[in-house]
Amino acid sequence: MGENAAPGPISELKLAVPWGHIAAKAWGSLQGPPVLCLHGWLDNANSFDRLIPLLPQDFYYVAMDFGGHGLSSHYSPGVPYYQQTFVSEIRRVVAALKWNRFSILGHSFGGIVGGMFSCIFPEMVNKLILLDSPLLLLESNEVENLLTYKRRAIEHMLQVEASQEPSSVLSLKQLLQRLLKTNIHLNEECGELLLQRGTTKVATEMGFHHVAQAGLELLNSSDPTASRFQFVEIPGNHYVHMSEPQHVASIISSFLQRKHTLTA
């Protein structure tokens, strides 16, 4: 850890929302420029535990758990986990933090949600940093595909509710094996880190306390575009920011510390 590296989280946050609370963890200087960190689908705020300590400590980093993920409250039964709802969560969180302008650091699905927020509220976003995040998954002329996607999402939600399957309760070793089997990009060490915040101890075993994994196939995005951007390709897999954070830390640090910003 270098001279400019931030220490461990300075605090755990619990922000009130109508259905419960949004959990988050914070690093860095409270007086510094704010950076909101958004994890990927079925991950949690621990996704940034190894990256943020390598970034400049004169920024204030807040990594939130999306609803139904990590330590955040689940939505009420019957309320779907839609992309637009997560976009709204960002607006609620920054309002609670009293942030008028901030930067976004998003991984995977978190980048999709952060990118959509940036399009809807461009005056609030200073810089947008995306880690292996496919922002252009849906072409503007694919209206038929969009309708098919929305129909499939609704039908899938009803099927999941009708199944009434009990919550998964497994040993920590079984949960880790399941997580690694469904995500080939995670190594064992990173998987254990995510499970620290993504499980609850039930008697002598563990249970997932985030949303159903079957929902992954339903994710999609709209087609926001940017007039100017910087693209950097580095070796690594989808979780390089966890497994080898040093590969991306210097690039992100340099971008955050630039004095100029892009126009909204």
Side-chain angles (χ1 to χ4, degrees), residues 15 17 19-24 38-45 63-76 79-83 85-90 92-93 109 113 209-212:
L15 309 172
V17 290
W19 61 92
H21 70 272
I22 294 295
L38 307 174
H39 64 77
W41 182 248
L42 300 182
D43 294 341
N44 53 62
M64 61 179 280
D65 291 324
F66 282 126
H69 294 69
L71 302 181
S72 289
S73 299
H74 286 227
Y75 295 168
S76 300
V79 178
Y81 289 83
Y82 282 163
Q83 175 185 321
T85 310
F86 291 126
V87 174
S88 299
E89 278 189 18
I90 295 177
R92 293 178 186 274
V93 166
F109 178 67
V113 177
H209 57 68
H210 57 45
V211 296

Side-chain angles (χ1 to χ4, degrees), residues 21-80:
H21 70 272
I22 294 295
K25 54 201 301 186
W27 291 258
S29 170
L30 278 166
Q31 291 72 40
V35 180
L36 185 65
C37 304
L38 307 174
H39 64 77
W41 182 248
L42 300 182
D43 294 341
N44 53 62
N46 278 12
S47 175
F48 296 99
D49 274 14
R50 292 179 172 172
L51 174 60
I52 292 179
L54 302 180
L55 302 181
Q57 68 173 9
D58 52 348
F59 286 77
Y60 183 50
Y61 306 92
V62 172
M64 61 179 280
D65 291 324
F66 282 126
H69 294 69
L71 302 181
S72 289
S73 299
H74 286 227
Y75 295 168
S76 300
V79 178

